[in-house]
Amino acid sequence: MSMESLLPFLGMVMAILAQAANMVVNKAAMSKGTNKYIMVVYANGLSTLILLPPALFFHHRSGRPPLTFSILCRFFMLALFGGSAQIFGFVGIEYSSATLGTAMLNLIPAFTFILAIIFRMEKVQWRSSSSNAKILGTIASITGAFVVTFYKGQPIMLLPSSHPLNLFSSKSNWVLGGLFLAADSFFTSLWYILQASTLKKYPAVVVIVCFQCLFTTVQSALFTLIAVKDANAWELRLDMGLIAVLYTAIVSIVLRYTITTWCVRKAGALFCSMFKPLGIIFGVIMGAIFLGDPFYFGSLVGALIIVTGFYAVMWGKAREENLVEGGSRWESLGQNKAPLLQNNIQEKHNCTSILCK
């Protein structure tokens, strides 16, 4: 494996590891009493401060188009979808576990496919194997999500109850957590679709992320002021809550997004998507070691179904891209051959004329 192909591979492994670790860190912070809504506010606020200088620099140097009201509205909606996904995700792992959270992230391609059909960004061709693969993969992913949500089963990996960091509470509502995590994946899919169209109109990643973090900070702050009545909850101490905010802002939002964006540019979106199931493995290991979370049989079965559906959707997408690429090559080849054919005909005509003379 060359260094050019090795770096995106290592980058995506690091990005997925950072994402899984973020769920574990946030779960630990919430179990210690840190408010989930306040973490969203502080994390996005800190991310805004970190991204503001490079956003201003790149916007000034690159000569981007002006920030119109329409573009700002898109940024606002991106923040609304992204912030909602963060809140639903935090609530989901608070009620369930980080392992379930990483498993449910694999629903994103299925939800994105459904939304693309609804918004007429995707056409279903029933006789096409790629479309059928995406449809069956979507059904499998949603089925797997139902399994991990509504069927818990027996624990198949359980640390001793005396583990000092065993934070899994019997009061946690597994089903409700699974539904919130499904909502997280749904809003993330909406965010992906809107982000793709926004980048076409305003191709400045750092500026978009900076404004998104800014708007998410404002939106989540307004929501938190209504939802959280205790003023003391806003106080951050030198504990797990502060670590969670710093980790989410610096690693999960700024660094992970930067690494993922770089990997997408180097290796393509499909390559990066194939690493999503790694989050389940990382989530299980870190959840068991640092939180003492048990791993249930239902989670294993459901995760396997979700991953199968995930790869079916990705296979269908890859096949479509190959067909489109192949068609473009044939079209280009045909355009290149046409003048040559005309030249050959003209040369033969000239030769015939000379012989006739």
Side-chain angles (χ1 to χ4, degrees):
M1 182 181 290
S2 63
M3 185 60 66
E4 186 176 353
S5 58
L6 179 62
L7 289 178
F9 176 84
L10 295 176
M12 282 310 303
V13 172
M14 292 173 57
I16 297 299
L17 178 61
Q19 187 177 30
N22 183 58
M23 290 192 174
V24 173
V25 170
N26 289 327
K27 171 75 174 181
M30 288 184 288
S31 299
K32 293 293 185 180
T34 305
N35 187 277
K36 50 189 172 293
Y37 306 128
I38 293 176
M39 281 199 298
V40 174
V41 177
Y42 283 146
N44 283 277
L46 180 57
S47 298
T48 304
L49 295 177
I50 295 173
L51 289 168
L52 185 59
L56 293 175
F57 175 78
F58 285 117
H59 179 72
H60 176 72
R61 293 290 299 271
S62 57
R64 297 296 180 187
L67 290 170
T68 62
F69 179 74
S70 174
I71 295 296
L72 289 175
C73 287
R74 284 178 171 270
F75 293 167
F76 183 86
M77 293 305 298
L78 278 172
L80 183 62
F81 292 153
S84 299
Q86 289 181 38
I87 291 175
F88 282 130
F90 280 13
V91 175
I93 61 175
E94 183 182 36
Y95 281 125
S96 56
S97 69
T99 302
L100 182 62
T102 54
M104 296 292 276
L105 285 176
N106 292 275
L107 278 174
I108 293 174
F111 281 146
T112 304
F113 176 62
I114 294 174
L115 291 171
I117 294 176
I118 294 174
F119 293 122
R120 297 182 179 180
M121 300 171 64
E122 184 100 19
K123 292 183 179 180
V124 178
Q125 299 177 355
W126 297 104
R127 296 183 179 180
S128 171
S129 59
S130 58
S131 290
N132 291 333
K134 289 192 288 185
I135 292 171
L136 293 176
T138 299
I139 295 173
S141 296
I142 296 175
T143 302
F146 274 106
V147 172
V148 298
T149 301
F150 294 102
Y151 174 62
K152 211 172 183 180
Q154 296 296 320
I156 58 177
M157 188 175 70
L158 182 64
L159 294 182
S161 58
S162 59
H163 195 288
L165 292 179
N166 193 336
L167 305 174
F168 191 83
S169 173
S170 59
K171 297 180 180 179
S172 64
N173 192 323
W174 190 268
V175 174
L176 189 59
L179 294 176
F180 275 115
L181 290 170
D184 172 17
S185 297
F186 178 77
F187 276 95
T188 302
S189 300
L190 284 173
W191 180 83
Y192 273 129
I193 290 178
L194 181 59
Q195 184 200 42
S197 62
T198 302
L199 281 170
K200 293 179 181 179
K201 296 179 178 293
Y202 196 87
V205 175
V206 178
V207 177
I208 292 175
V209 178
C210 182
F211 270 98
Q212 178 186 331
C213 291
L214 174 62
F215 285 138
T216 301
T217 303
V218 176
Q219 294 168 0
S220 58
L222 293 175
F223 173 79
T224 305
L225 287 173
I226 299 173
V228 180
K229 304 299 182 181
D230 185 12
N232 295 325
W234 289 86
E235 182 181 353
L236 283 179
R237 300 179 178 86
L238 295 176
D239 56 7
M240 199 64 198
L242 180 60
I243 295 175
V245 169
L246 293 175
Y247 184 90
T248 301
I250 299 172
V251 179
S252 183
I253 296 179
V254 177
L255 291 181
R256 182 174 65 87
Y257 193 91
T258 303
I259 292 174
T260 304
T261 304
W262 181 84
C263 291
V264 168
R265 289 178 178 176
K266 288 292 183 180
L270 180 63
F271 174 85
C272 297
S273 299
M274 301 300 284
F275 287 82
K276 281 289 184 184
L278 277 180
I280 301 176
I281 301 174
F282 291 146
V284 169
I285 295 174
M286 289 188 290
I289 294 175
F290 297 107
L291 301 178
D293 280 352
F295 186 55
Y296 293 96
F297 179 74
S299 298
L300 175 63
V301 175
L304 290 175
I305 298 174
I306 291 175
V307 171
T308 302
F310 171 86
Y311 280 120
V313 174
M314 290 296 102
W315 181 87
K317 189 65 178 175
R319 184 172 176 81
E320 277 189 354
E321 291 179 357
N322 290 335
L323 290 175
V324 171
E325 183 179 354
S328 300
R329 288 179 179 176
W330 276 108
E331 183 179 353
S332 175
L333 186 60
Q335 291 175 352
N336 292 333
K337 280 186 175 181
L340 293 175
L341 183 60
Q342 293 174 1
N343 291 337
N344 289 336
I345 294 173
Q346 184 65 34
E347 288 177 1
K348 289 181 179 179
H349 176 73
N350 293 337
C351 291
T352 304
S353 301
I354 293 173
L355 290 174
C356 290
K357 289 180 180 179

